[in-house]
Amino acid sequence: MPLSAYDLWDDGTARPAADLAATGPGRYRWLHFDLADPELADWCAAQLPGIPGQALLQSETRPRCDVFEDGVILNLRTVNRNPGAKAAEMLSLRIWATSRTIVTVRLRKTFALDAIRAECSTGSGPGSPGRFLYRLINGLALHTRDVVLGLSAATEALEEMTEDGALPAAEALKAPRRNVLKLHRYLEPQREALLNLQETGVQLFSEDEQLHLREAVNLFTLSAETLQSLTGRLAVLRDHTDAELARQMGRNSYALSVVAALFLPLGFLTGLFGVNLAGIPGAESPLAFPVLCLSLLGLGAGMLLVMRWLRLL
């Protein structure tokens, strides 16, 4: 059974469908299904052409727009706005659209579709398939833009931290970079699919609806371009952080090397004079220990002067 089924007319009137046929008495019929519905496969086989029906049932999808006879097979991705979910885990949405039928299939709740469902439940809705599609695409684009703007703000905060001389933690860089890569993986092919939708020869959009669709596609394009820019900016931040960490480790290693160079001869001398053998110089003199200590201090000072003269310090 569909999650919702409505007949819609040119004036925007929306009424619940009286049956589950692919078409109805209105301008077009919209049927919305859950992919997990066990009856969906039988319904697609009975009501839809073979290829679009199979496309709606695919468990794994990528953004696409393909013309089949008088309709369009459209697969889209949207950010995950469900509670407790990560926005970058994009949800898939499968669509078959003709001038008389729109079938949508989702795997999990899609807020842009739920907004249209809520409107149809009040008795009004998009008056044409073209209006339905551009409103859906515009909703998906707005939700995606909000997530991309959040990632952009997080990246700017990391850049400001770096400019102030602080180094961001590894996790602070890893999370936005991972989310940017996940989103960009789908947004770029989705932009191409939507550009193809604009150029299809199928008569789904009026001239005015084409203009609205172009604006929605432009939102996706801006988001895709912003993600591409963020990828480069985060890579620069990571390289800068790695370079600073390497520089700090180099300075620390150098300081340890200098300390080791100073104490190596001192340790040798103290070890040499610490053996329990007869004949050690000063063994019988009460001034031997102070003299040895002063000699070691002088030796250390001399080594420091030599290192400065050799520009090792």
Side-chain angles (χ1 to χ4, degrees):
M1 295 294 291
L3 299 173
S4 59
Y6 288 97
D7 288 316
L8 294 103
W9 279 262
D10 289 317
D11 61 359
T13 300
R15 297 174 185 169
D19 53 57
L20 297 183
T23 58
R27 165 72 183 278
Y28 71 100
R29 173 169 286 184
W30 171 42
L31 299 108
H32 181 46
F33 291 89
D34 190 302
L35 186 61
D37 187 346
E39 300 178 3
L40 177 59
D42 292 337
W43 184 89
C44 289
Q47 299 291 335
L48 303 180
I51 292 179
Q54 294 172 9
L56 294 176
L57 297 173
Q58 291 178 351
S59 58
E60 295 293 333
T61 65
R62 60 178 301 277
R64 64 180 287 197
C65 176
D66 294 311
V67 175
F68 180 82
E69 296 180 354
D70 62 341
V72 172
I73 301 170
L74 189 61
N75 289 344
L76 299 177
R77 289 274 177 162
T78 177
V79 293
N80 192 345
R81 302 182 69 209
N82 290 292
K86 296 180 180 179
E89 295 175 353
M90 302 190 77
L91 305 178
S92 59
L93 181 62
R94 304 149 183 82
I95 303 170
W96 165 244
T98 70
S99 59
R100 295 295 314 282
T101 304
I102 291 182
V103 181
T104 56
V105 178
R106 54 90 156 165
L107 189 59
R108 281 178 283 180
K109 184 177 181 179
T110 304
F111 282 77
L113 269 179
D114 281 359
I116 299 178
R117 287 177 63 189
E119 183 180 358
C120 289
S121 67
T122 65
S124 63
S128 67
R131 184 177 295 271
F132 179 100
L133 289 175
Y134 86 65
R135 284 186 52 184
L136 171 61
I137 293 169
N138 188 68
L140 300 180
L142 290 174
H143 296 162
T144 302
R145 182 199 62 182
D146 293 342
V147 173
V148 172
L149 288 177
L151 289 171
S152 181
T155 303
E156 288 177 6
L158 292 172
E159 289 173 335
E160 291 176 0
M161 182 188 303
T162 303
E163 291 173 359
D164 293 338
L167 286 181
E171 286 299 323
L173 280 172
K174 185 184 298 184
R177 186 168 182 270
R178 181 172 56 246
N179 291 335
V180 165
L181 292 175
K182 285 183 178 180
L183 289 172
H184 193 262
R185 173 188 175 188
Y186 291 110
L187 280 194
E188 186 59 32
Q190 180 147 302
R191 183 180 71 87
E192 296 297 329
L194 293 175
L195 290 174
N196 291 339
L197 178 63
Q198 288 181 285
E199 299 171 359
T200 59
V202 178
Q203 298 300 317
L204 288 177
F205 301 96
S206 66
E207 184 175 346
D208 180 65
E209 291 165 353
Q210 281 277 8
L211 294 176
H212 284 86
L213 177 63
R214 188 176 298 117
E215 290 302 311
V217 175
N218 186 55
L219 279 177
F220 270 117
T221 300
L222 290 175
S223 294
E225 291 175 349
T226 301
L227 287 174
Q228 187 172 4
S229 172
L230 290 178
T231 301
R233 290 163 62 187
L234 288 169
V236 170
L237 279 174
R238 184 191 61 183
D239 292 342
H240 174 74
T241 302
D242 291 344
E244 284 297 319
L245 290 174
R247 190 176 294 112
Q248 290 180 5
M249 292 181 64
R251 286 198 299 264
N252 294 338
S253 299
Y254 181 72
L256 290 174
S257 299
V258 170
V259 171
L262 285 173
F263 280 92
L264 184 62
L266 300 181
F268 170 75
L269 289 176
T270 55
L272 179 63
F273 280 90
V275 296
N276 292 321
L277 294 175
I280 295 297
E284 304 298 330
S285 173
L287 298 177
F289 182 72
V291 171
L292 178 62
C293 290
L294 291 174
S295 300
L296 293 176
L297 288 174
L299 178 60
M303 292 180 63
L304 284 174
L305 291 175
V306 171
M307 286 185 175
R308 284 188 177 275
W309 180 66
L310 295 175
R311 295 184 179 180
L312 298 176
L313 291 177

